[in-house]
Amino acid sequence: MPHKTTLPITGYRDQAIPNRFFRQDHETDHLAVILPGLGYHADLPLLHYPGQMLLHWGADVLVVDYAYHQHPEFRAAPEPERERWLLDDVNAAWEAVSAQRNYRRYTLLGKSLGTLAMGHLVEAQPELAGAGAVWLTPLLGNDELVGQMRRHRGPSLIVIGTADTHYDADALATIRAENGAEAMVVEGADHSLDLPGDVLASLQVVERLVRALDRFVDS
């Protein structure tokens, strides 16, 4: 049974970064990091159930609850400052959690804003060059992120809906052509991977995601 604790992590402007660290009670060399979206926190289905699956697979799991929605100054800040804030926070989180054990296998899972953090980490941290990367509803209109996704040489799984305002079929095709990424494209799903007006179908999307992640981690 994993033990839940909080790591002492200080990020942008020396502010504490809320987090939950689930440490396996047995030895493991697998570390997973979950990076939520701006308004989509880690207890919601698209992140909660994948997190449970990663624990089932024996990984230590860090959930970064940066909670920017509680900081009006984050939304009010100019784009360069918001980016610096995010990257300072995820760098600090990575330094803290990667020191917990002698890890050799890594999985990153991010949603929306969290995919920007992932793109930075896979290029900034040498040990993550081959990490498994699960990009949930990535911001495919962001050229820098698309470039980072194209250049990543670890296994990638991209999950996005065609009704998501950040969906870009051409960008997705380019990424897949360059690095062989797997893709789960949900027809009609929005940025939360919901199918508006169809609760049961929306729940089935979550199941599809968990099954896809199960196959992805197993491989």
Side-chain angles (χ1 to χ4, degrees), residues 2 11 17 20 23 42 55-56 75-76 85 89 92 101 106 115 118 122 127 135 150 166 168 172 188 203 205 216 219:
I17 302 171
R20 287 167 286 166
R23 182 183 177 91
L55 289 171
H56 170 75
R75 290 182 179 273
W85 192 330
D89 285 355
R101 296 197 208 237
Y106 303 98
T115 63
M118 287 174 58
V122 296
E127 62 268 43
W135 313 85
R150 289 168 56 186
H166 299 282
D168 184 321
L172 179 60
L203 289 172
V205 172
F216 180 77
S219 63

Side-chain angles (χ1 to χ4, degrees), residues 31-94:
L31 171 63
V33 179
I34 295 178
L35 299 159
L38 180 61
Y40 197 100
H41 58 74
D43 291 327
L44 291 173
L46 297 178
L47 296 175
H48 172 74
Y49 291 109
Q52 293 299 304
M53 183 61 68
L54 288 161
L55 289 171
H56 170 75
W57 276 103
D60 285 349
V61 176
L62 176 70
V63 178
V64 182
D65 293 314
Y66 25 59
Y68 296 135
H69 62 284
Q70 298 177 5
H71 294 277
E73 62 271 28
F74 180 86
R75 290 182 179 273
E79 182 64 30
E81 184 177 356
R82 290 200 301 270
E83 180 178 350
R84 186 165 60 252
W85 192 330
L86 173 66
L87 299 189
D88 281 359
D89 285 355
V90 297
N91 284 335
W94 177 254

Side-chain angles (χ1 to χ4, degrees), residues 2-3 10 15 18 36-37 45-46 48 51 53 55 62 86 106 128 140 155 158 160 168 172 174-175 193-194 198 202:
H3 173 67
T10 302
Q15 297 182 69
L46 297 178
H48 172 74
M53 183 61 68
L55 289 171
L62 176 70
L86 173 66
Y106 303 98
L128 294 177
L140 296 179
I158 303 168
I160 195 166
D168 184 321
L172 179 60
T174 299
I175 294 165
L193 289 179
D194 283 333
D198 196 333
S202 297

Side-chain angles (χ1 to χ4, degrees), residues 114-144:
T115 63
L116 300 182
M118 287 174 58
H120 166 75
L121 285 175
V122 296
E123 293 203 328
Q125 304 297 336
E127 62 268 43
L128 294 177
V134 182
W135 313 85
L136 299 181
T137 65
L139 308 182
L140 296 179
N142 183 301
D143 291 341
E144 182 176 7

Side-chain angles (χ1 to χ4, degrees), residues 7 31 93-103 106 125 127:
L7 299 181
L31 171 63
W94 177 254
E95 290 177 9
V97 73
S98 61
Q100 298 302 307
R101 296 197 208 237
N102 184 25
Y103 298 110
Y106 303 98
Q125 304 297 336
E127 62 268 43

